[in-house]
Amino acid sequence: GSTDNCGIDSFYVDINTFDCDDIGDNLIQVVVFDTGNLCDTGTVIVTVEDLEDPIFDYWPDDIITTNCIEVEYDLPHVIDNCDFFNVELVDGFFPGDAFPVGINLVEYLAADASGNTSTCSFYVTVESTLMVSIQTSALDCELPIIATLIPTGGLAPYHYQWSTGATTPEIELISSADLGWTVTDSEGCSLAGDVSIVVSPSINIELVATSETGMDMNGAIDATVTGGAPPYTYIWADSTG
């Protein structure tokens, strides 16, 4: 403040209006006149602060789609009293990205040069009716074993991908394997899973014959079986069948 024995008549400052370009400390020149037209000068520091948050004046409504390849939406719009702000995606995916099946949060953050922030958010729900079952040929002695992916729902045609690199719905196996698979429909929606196929090893039979002695009908044949899938069933037949 200013004082004078004769009273203050007027004062002058070289800057008396401030805007966003003046945020921070500003050195102001002040001239004070008394009623005798005497004057004195001084300086003051005026600190300008921006305390207003940016405002999202538009953001998309929640979206429901069956398209997993890409989801389009209009970007949120922001206004700010100082017009110096940055908008960034903090959660979710950009327009045109592929969204996974399910409910996806999309959130944007606006921040101005003074650190004031605000957010907006909406949900993108990707619905898919795609289902996949797996069928295998009989796990018997007939090789190869054939595993088949059978998709339903979604939108044909389908794309197949096995962990072996195969891209057909069927895969042939001659030995046990743990396989991963992915099926993708024409809208980009996909399902993935794993399957374990157990292929029994080939059956091997070793026969050891013991000859009859002394016409005592004490001959024998001993069979040793390996491979296959125990327990075993034995059927013996003589020369007459």
Side-chain angles (χ1 to χ4, degrees):
S2 301
T3 59
D4 187 83
N5 63 319
C6 294
I8 301 298
D9 178 66
S10 62
F11 65 89
Y12 165 79
V13 294
D14 60 347
I15 302 175
N16 59 11
T17 60
F18 302 90
D19 57 26
C20 291
D21 292 330
D22 302 308
I23 291 176
D25 292 338
N26 300 268
L27 186 63
I28 309 301
Q29 187 76 28
V30 180
V31 181
V32 180
F33 297 89
D34 66 7
T35 55
N37 205 32
L38 298 175
C39 68
D40 192 14
T41 62
T43 57
V44 296
I45 296 177
V46 175
T47 301
V48 178
E49 295 181 335
D50 174 19
L51 301 178
E52 294 187 30
D53 294 334
I55 299 173
F56 282 94
D57 61 348
Y58 167 79
W59 62 91
D61 293 330
D62 292 343
I63 298 170
I64 300 177
T65 181
T66 59
N67 191 332
C68 299
I69 296 177
E70 61 179 12
V71 176
E72 296 288 352
Y73 61 84
D74 294 328
L75 288 171
H77 184 264
V78 178
I79 57 175
D80 185 67
N81 62 311
C82 285
D83 290 331
F84 304 124
F85 58 85
N86 179 61
V87 180
E88 63 175 314
L89 178 71
V90 294
D91 200 355
F93 301 89
F94 289 105
D97 284 350
F99 281 67
V101 173
I103 301 174
N104 302 273
L105 173 66
V106 180
E107 183 176 15
Y108 281 86
L109 169 72
D112 66 18
S114 297
N116 303 305
T117 63
S118 63
T119 60
C120 76
S121 63
F122 57 96
Y123 290 94
V124 174
T125 301
V126 179
E127 298 178 340
S128 174
T129 58
L130 179 63
M131 300 181 66
V132 179
S133 60
I134 303 175
Q135 178 178 295
T136 58
S137 58
L139 302 179
D140 52 23
C141 294
E142 296 295 328
L143 295 178
I145 301 298
I146 299 175
T148 305
L149 296 171
I150 304 175
T152 57
L155 185 64
Y158 306 101
H159 173 73
Y160 305 89
Q161 184 69 56
W162 294 90
S163 56
T164 61
T167 57
T168 57
E170 296 182 348
I171 191 170
E172 296 184 352
L173 301 169
I174 59 173
S175 61
S176 300
D178 294 322
L179 303 174
W181 55 266
T182 302
V183 177
T184 305
D185 71 5
S186 61
E187 289 191 302
C189 298
S190 62
L191 284 179
D194 301 288
V195 60
S196 295
I197 305 295
V198 178
V199 178
S200 300
S202 300
I203 293 179
N204 296 302
I205 302 176
E206 181 181 355
L207 299 176
V208 176
T210 301
S211 300
E212 179 186 23
T213 58
M215 302 297 290
D216 291 332
M217 300 182 65
N218 58 358
I221 299 176
D222 183 60
T224 301
V225 181
T226 58
Y232 306 109
T233 300
Y234 300 86
I235 299 176
W236 295 92
D238 58 18
S239 59
T240 62

